[in-house]
Amino acid sequence: MKADLSDLNAFVAVARAGGFREAARLSGSSASFLSEAVRRLEAELDVRLLNRTTRSVVTTEAGQGLLERLGPALTEVEAALDVVNRFRATPAGSLRLNVPVSAARLVLPALVPPFLAAYPDIRLEIVAEESFVDVLAAGCDAGIRYDERLEQDMIAIPIGPRNQRFATAASPAYLDRHGRPQHPSELLGHACLLGRFASGALTSPWEYERDGEVVRVEPTGPLIVRVGGATDLSVDAAIAGTGIICVFEDWLRPHLDNGALEPILEPWWQRFSGPFLYYPGRRLVPAPLRAFIDFVKASANRA
């Protein structure tokens, strides 16, 4: 009995993803390629590994047993191959990062181009989404998250600005029409532009702090957008005079600088810690990820 390593990898990818399409998205392969690989493996082993329906794909008892033994074994294979990679003049291979849209927009642009220039043999894939996922289960090597959303048993290093603020702003035209709030509580009388996380929760209450006084307000308004993917729409609406927006200061900075948006309640803007690059501490760090970690640390030292 002889099973091809690529077929085994395909089975693990599909079993972990719970479907061929999702596994194809995560692995960069096609669903048809994965389906053929799993069919070939089942034929070779003469046992069904996956139960397929129109809605889901789940492991059989035999498939679950194989998955539990294969996972650690394939990790060891990857680690063994990576030992060889360390003898190269420059690291090579793939690096897959799971990051929030805000990090893809505000943190990575300053790092990715020079990193890829320094390591031309590394292929970097960025998966940007706001849902909180297990980076390993999602087929990623590492992720970027803010402190309150870091997973346990992970190693975390700072990446990007260490201090950030939530900025509140509106167009000068809107403020000329409706007035300029002097206290956070006055936001309740204004049209505010809100966001909704993938979990379904709204980006409210908005929180402010000044001289030890903390104020939380739950504004309402005419527009709610998905956090991350549709935030630019909310920014455009604010510039057009639709209402007041509250997002990362760095996201609004170009529009604040050119006057398209006017800051509101700036002495009250709340600061928070910047994001972290995090990765599992219980296994050998792949060479491409090690190169990225070292690059991030060096960039922080130069800043």
Side-chain angles (χ1 to χ4, degrees):
M1 184 181 297
K2 182 180 178 181
D4 186 271
L5 183 60
S6 64
D7 292 348
L8 292 172
N9 273 309
F11 161 70
V12 170
V14 174
R16 286 177 172 172
F20 289 95
R21 290 185 179 179
E22 181 64 10
R25 184 183 71 83
L26 294 173
S27 66
S29 302
S30 68
S32 60
F33 171 83
L34 294 174
S35 178
E36 177 60 23
V38 172
R39 185 202 62 76
R40 190 166 51 242
L41 179 62
E42 289 179 324
E44 181 66 35
L45 299 178
D46 194 27
V47 64
R48 178 176 288 278
L49 301 174
L50 299 172
N51 285 322
R52 306 157 176 83
T53 70
T54 56
R55 294 187 176 182
S56 65
V57 173
V58 296
T59 55
T60 63
E61 183 178 357
Q64 185 60 34
L66 180 62
L67 177 63
E68 292 173 357
R69 298 295 296 272
L70 272 181
L74 291 177
T75 297
E76 286 301 313
V77 170
E78 293 174 1
L81 293 174
D82 197 62
V83 168
V84 177
N85 193 21
R86 292 169 184 268
F87 287 91
R88 293 172 50 90
T90 59
S94 297
L95 172 59
R96 201 162 190 261
L97 302 179
N98 183 281
V99 309
V101 174
S102 58
R105 193 180 194 282
L106 304 176
V107 175
L108 292 181
L111 293 170
V112 168
F115 173 73
L116 294 178
Y119 297 98
D121 294 328
I122 291 179
R123 179 175 180 266
L124 177 62
E125 181 177 355
I126 304 297
V127 180
E129 57 188 356
E130 293 302 321
S131 56
F132 188 50
V133 301
D134 181 326
V135 291
L136 294 182
C140 295
D141 300 290
I144 295 178
R145 289 291 183 270
Y146 288 87
D147 188 42
E148 72 275 8
R149 301 190 72 183
L150 289 176
E151 299 176 39
Q152 294 181 345
D153 303 323
M154 291 282 179
I155 296 175
I157 65 169
I159 184 172
R162 296 327 306 143
N163 287 289
Q164 296 180 290
R165 295 192 299 178
F166 285 114
T168 307
S171 71
Y174 173 90
L175 296 174
D176 288 342
R177 293 196 308 270
H178 300 284
R180 289 165 171 79
Q182 301 302 309
H183 189 274
S185 61
E186 296 176 27
L187 292 171
L188 296 175
H190 285 267
C192 294
L193 311 177
L194 304 178
R196 190 182 297 279
F197 295 105
S199 65
L202 288 172
T203 56
S204 66
W206 292 358
E207 188 168 300
Y208 299 88
E209 184 174 3
R210 183 180 184 182
D211 299 330
E213 180 185 2
V214 177
V215 179
R216 297 179 180 87
V217 297
E218 296 193 14
T220 60
L223 178 65
I224 300 174
V225 303
R226 174 61 65 90
V227 169
T231 298
D232 279 332
L233 173 60
S234 187
V235 174
D236 290 341
I239 292 171
T242 305
I244 296 175
I245 189 171
C246 181
V247 297
F248 291 110
E249 179 183 3
D250 290 343
W251 206 307
L252 298 183
R253 178 48 56 192
H255 309 295
L256 294 170
D257 289 344
N258 66 21
L261 290 175
E262 180 180 325
I264 303 169
L265 303 169
E266 186 167 0
W268 291 85
W269 290 358
Q270 196 170 60
R271 293 185 178 274
F272 58 97
S273 174
F276 292 84
L277 174 71
Y278 75 105
Y279 56 96
R282 60 182 181 273
R283 69 174 189 174
L284 183 68
V285 177
L289 177 56
R290 171 52 59 193
F292 188 69
I293 292 169
D294 292 341
F295 188 86
V296 169
K297 289 180 177 179
S299 298
N301 291 334
R302 290 192 297 267

